[in-house]
Structures are given as C-alpha cells and as structure tokens.
Amino acid sequence: MARIAGVEIPPNKKIRIGLTSIYGIGYSLTKEIISKTGVNPDTQGKNLTEDEVNKLRRIIENDYKIEGELRRQVSSDVSRLIHIGCYRGIRHKKGLPVRGQRTRSNARSRKGPRRTLGKKKKGTK
C-alpha cells in the first residue's frame, strides 16, 4: 500500500485518479506530477513499486503545498479577510456565499437548513 503525505493511495484505482485523494492535488496537478516522475498513469495503486512511490513522494512533498500546510494557509487567508473587515470577510463571518451567488432563492448549503417560524396560536378569552 502506497502512503504519500500521510494519505493512503487507494489500491484499486489508477494512480492518476488515486493521487487526487490527497488534499490540494487535483486532476491537472496529477497529470503534471506523473509526467515529471515518468510513472505509468494506468498503474493501479497496489502495483506501484517502492521506487515509483518514492519518486512520487519526493516530487509531491518538495514542490507542492498539500494537506496540513495548505489547510493552514487557507484558514489563515480566511481569518485575515475577516480581520480586515472587507466584504468577503464579512460574508465568511455571516456564513453567506462569498463569490456573488444569489441568496434569495438558493445558497442552502452555505446558509444551512431552512429555519421555520412557528404559527401563532389564537388566544381565547
């Protein structure tokens, strides 16, 4: 089993798909990494040799921000926006969409589940 940057590469998936399980590596970066290392992109995770795993690990850990380091950077960027009080920071703070999406009819995933108001009971005299 290949373990790169603290993440298990799925053994039954091709390496070009399996590398995307690492936070910060998408499909385009995977193609770039595979071309740098010379590993066959159709090789499954369980069929990688130790030499190929070491090549992949070396390239990924030295050249790219991934996993914990990238998560820290993203959270510090968001907290900086909140601290300076810019429009995007205010949207982050309120839990609303940040990039200009409409909120009147959509944005349920960002705003959370709908809050329903209770009906008023008629008072008896």
Side-chain angles (χ1 to χ4, degrees):
M1 259 212 229
R3 188 170 182 85
I4 298 174
V7 176
E8 290 285 332
I9 302 300
N12 295 326
K13 292 187 179 179
K14 294 180 180 180
I15 194 65
R16 64 178 174 205
I17 303 299
L19 284 178
T20 60
S21 63
I22 300 172
Y23 181 79
I25 296 182
Y27 193 69
S28 61
L29 268 185
T30 299
K31 289 195 295 188
E32 187 178 308
I33 290 166
I34 288 173
S35 67
K36 280 183 183 179
T37 57
V39 176
N40 182 8
D42 294 328
T43 306
Q44 288 189 334
K46 62 185 174 188
N47 297 332
L48 285 173
T49 64
E50 282 297 318
D51 186 41
E52 291 172 335
V53 172
N54 288 333
K55 281 183 193 175
L56 289 169
R57 185 179 296 129
R58 195 175 322 113
I59 292 289
I60 289 171
E61 291 177 354
N62 292 335
D63 297 349
Y64 301 101
K65 277 189 181 176
I66 50 169
E67 287 297 323
E69 185 181 355
L70 183 60
R71 290 179 204 269
R72 272 191 300 277
Q73 181 184 359
V74 169
S75 67
S76 70
D77 290 346
V78 170
S79 64
R80 179 182 55 84
L81 291 173
I82 292 171
H83 178 71
I84 63 175
C86 67
Y87 180 78
R88 282 174 55 202
I90 292 168
R91 303 295 281 188
H92 273 293
K93 194 176 201 177
K94 290 182 178 179
L96 293 170
V98 177
R99 297 185 178 179
Q101 296 91 337
R102 65 182 296 150
T103 57
R104 181 173 177 176
S105 60
N106 290 329
R108 289 307 347 154
S109 60
R110 183 74 175 144
K111 289 167 69 173
R114 286 206 166 97
R115 295 187 189 103
T116 56
L117 298 175
K119 293 182 181 178
K120 285 190 175 180
K121 292 184 179 179
K122 291 185 179 179
T124 58
K125 289 187 178 180

